[in-house]
Amino acid sequence: MKILTSILALAVLVMGVFLYNSKQNEMDMQNNLRAQYTSRMTDASEKMSELQKSVQSATVFNDKAAQAEPLEDIWRLSSEIKSDIASLPLDREFSKEWMNYLGRLGDYARLKSQDKVPEEQWLKVTNNVAKNLDEFSYEWQNASTELLANQQSFKKWQKDIKKDEPSKKWTALSSTVKGYSESDFPLTASESDDLKKKELKSIEDKPVTKNQVENTLKEMFPKLKNAKLVASSSKEGAAYPFYHIQFNEGIRTGYVDYTQKGGHLLSVLIERPIGKDRIPQEQIKEKAERAVKAFGFDDVEMVETRENHLVWHVVFARLNPTNKARIYADAIQLKLAKDDGEILGVNTMEYIQKETLPDQKQTPVNWDDYFTEQVTIQKERLAYTENELLQQRLCYELIVLKDTDTRSHTFRILVDTETHEVLKSELLN
Amino acid sequence: MRKNKWLIWIVTLCLLTLSVSAPQKSEAFSDQVIELGAYGDDVLELQARLQYIGFYKNKIDGKFGYGTYWALRNFQEQFGLPIDGVAGAKTKERLAKETTYHEKFVKDQINKGNQFTHYGKIPLEQQVKKGTAQGAKQPEQVQLPAKYSEQDLQLMANAVYGEARGEPYEGQVAVAAVILNRVEDSKFPNTVSGVIFQPLAFTAVADGQIWLTPNARAKEAVLDALNGWDPTENALYYFNPDTATSDWIWTRPQIKKIGKHIFCD
């Protein structure tokens, strides 16, 4: 009996120590987390004040050199506050709107420093922003001071900033910033075009029925001719209406989406086990070429192939018929099985709606002066890519090799044919 | 008899010609012709052999990228072969003749996560620099579009497995696509890790399921999303209507339902 009592007492003691330690660990973690969040909040609050001062300064100077520092500060501070906001457990709507506003402000300052924003427009926007930031900065400080001042539990603190029990100040900030995003930074024409492309706004084809797209699917993929199909329409919130078909045929399952206007293929993915056989790369390329032609995409060129352990991914880009330049934004991706080259996926989302291409001058560049002596140009062709203003620009596309004694590096560089600005520089594997 | 002799001579001559002109299978490598974009053991051997005689200077990783391409072209030029950057039978045969491939050494170093080279004139043991990931299982090498890294793939695979491992394949690609759509959207952090670890963004981060080891299917799904597939048609959010506790999520414009998740803008 005595022994049993001792064991029981010991067990209770051990359990007690264990519970105490667990509670202590939890408290430590909560305190650490709260310290991190508080630090981020106060950091954002201070930077908000600095940002507001920088915006004010930027509107004071007309001289480009004098304006450079405040512009750089705006870009840096808006990016840093974005990072602070992203790391806080804030209400989703609130953080989304703030990130958007700060992102657009930072981009705007960067474009201004590159002389890509007319002076008149700059003054109009920054005067608005300066006024709004005055208000924001004050409100943010108030809201964070309120949170810091209250000696409350961690859970209560989290609830406050997550808006489960919203503080009025946070709610006010969230709705105000949304309104100002729209008024201070209305979408530019290029941004609007970009959104239209993403939302397939220019497709004016006649609507097709579910039956029609089901038949199209079976024509495109004969192996699915006896597949069991479950078709549905997109929900009301979709930017463009589409049919969503899920299929099942023996070992193959997958989905396909077609637009309701015109029945254009958006994307398809087929899942099936992949065998151990491997067909040669050349055959994979031939099969991919044949497939895009059979699907009716006859204005594209293969631009990239990538092998992985089960499948190949092959990328095609549309060619501009007038100058044969590649339009990378109008791309098609194919997925092929390594064992027999069966098409397991097609993605034509970007290809369906053509990019608007500019009439653009081509002036020659002296590449010897443009690059250092360490590099050699291996390939040169024409291609389109988008600039910071989201406009498609005709470019010289160069594959450039920098070879040293220890390593070789290959770059893909796109240089605007008119302004000679580098629009893209990628280090290739 | 004289006629027969002539016939034997002609047949012998034909056989001899055939044996000289027919492409010979190299002792090394497989039968596959490999070129830019290829991946696997043949590429590993190609890189190691090219490095053995000093043509290839980059990391031996089994991915036929531009570094391998230029090295191969230089080799072809120096040895009087057609310069096309394609490793066909003749190129492989010549390469095998000129070099030695220490397959076990190369594969051991890769499996151990060591940094190493495979130059011919230096003792192999002097060409190894032990990696910090000693003993850890090395992730399988993958080829991704230039703007993504293997770390992105790994993080996303963890997130997809934690969030949607019971969902159909399409649903897993969809979760990966939502992460990428957020990276591209100015209202969210602009890196994969920033998006995944944004507080309150993903349940799997909050409940620790993101740290489960993802399976091959989750990785495959992420690979498809990184290569451009987006079954959500540009969604930024998703939720499970049976378990969602936020009223706000129901206010988002809904696009599509895949498995148990509703995807929305």
Side-chain angles (χ1 to χ4, degrees), chain B residues 16 35 38 48-49 52 57 64 119 131 143 151 190 231 235 244 251:
Chain B
L16 204 67
E35 56 184 290
R49 286 185 182 276
Y52 192 85
K57 295 175 245 178
F64 198 136
Y119 290 102
Q143 298 207 88
Q151 182 185 291
N190 51 10
T251 66

Side-chain angles (χ1 to χ4, degrees), chain A residues 37 82 85-93 95-97 99-100 103-104 107 162 198-199 233-240 242 244-246 253-255 257 266-271 278-282 285 304-313 315 333-335 338 344-347 349 378-379 381 399-401 403-410 426-429, chain B residues 32-40 43 56-59 61 63-71 73-74 119 140-147 168-170 173 181-182 184-190 194 197-202 216-217 219-220 223-224 226-234 236-238 246 248-249 251-259 262-263 265:
Chain A
Y37 287 159
K82 260 183 87 170
I85 291 176
S87 66
L88 285 166
L90 299 169
D91 163 59
R92 283 199 263 189
E93 187 69 17
S95 66
K96 183 171 75 93
E97 293 307 332
M99 303 272 279
N100 186 34
R104 292 185 77 82
D107 287 348
K162 275 200 282 184
K198 208 173 166 188
E199 296 184 347
S233 292
S234 52
K235 290 184 177 270
E236 279 184 7
Y240 44 88
F242 60 90
H244 175 55
I245 304 171
Q246 288 168 302
T253 57
Y255 85 95
D257 284 352
L266 286 160
S267 69
V268 58
L269 272 176
I270 300 168
E271 190 190 15
R278 297 289 175 253
I279 67 167
Q281 187 170 356
E282 211 176 330
K285 286 164 76 176
E304 202 173 358
T305 57
R306 275 189 299 274
E307 181 183 11
N308 276 305
H309 66 292
L310 294 175
V311 297
W312 282 85
H313 285 102
V315 185
Q333 291 86 19
L334 292 193
K335 176 183 175 183
K338 270 171 84 169
L344 295 181
V346 185
N347 179 37
M349 181 73 214
Q378 301 287 346
K379 283 180 188 169
R381 63 185 158 236
I399 300 296
V400 164
L401 174 66
D403 210 3
T404 64
D405 288 342
T406 52
R407 272 186 87 91
S408 71
H409 295 290
T410 308
E426 264 176 7
L427 179 61
L428 303 174
N429 176 33
Chain B
Q32 301 271 349
V33 172
I34 49 174
E35 56 184 290
L36 204 59
Y39 150 102
V43 182
Y56 182 68
K57 295 175 245 178
N58 296 0
K59 187 180 167 192
D61 57 5
K63 299 177 193 173
F64 198 136
Y66 272 99
T68 315
Y69 176 77
W70 304 126
R73 286 178 65 102
N74 289 340
Y119 290 102
E140 186 157 13
Q141 296 279 312
V142 281
Q143 298 207 88
L144 301 169
K147 63 178 173 175
Y169 185 71
E170 178 195 358
V173 181
N181 289 342
R182 289 190 187 183
E184 294 295 320
D185 193 298
S186 62
K187 301 181 195 81
F188 294 89
N190 51 10
F197 293 111
Q198 190 176 15
L200 310 180
F202 293 97
R217 196 165 180 241
K219 285 184 183 168
E220 205 58 37
L223 197 57
D224 281 339
L226 292 172
N227 275 288
W229 273 264
D230 178 6
T232 73
E233 310 298 340
N234 303 315
L236 289 172
Y237 301 95
Y238 63 87
S246 155
W248 174 81
I249 197 73
T251 66
R252 308 305 309 163
Q254 296 182 8
I255 301 171
K256 185 183 195 183
K257 187 170 184 195
I258 305 171
I262 294 179
F263 289 82
D265 192 14

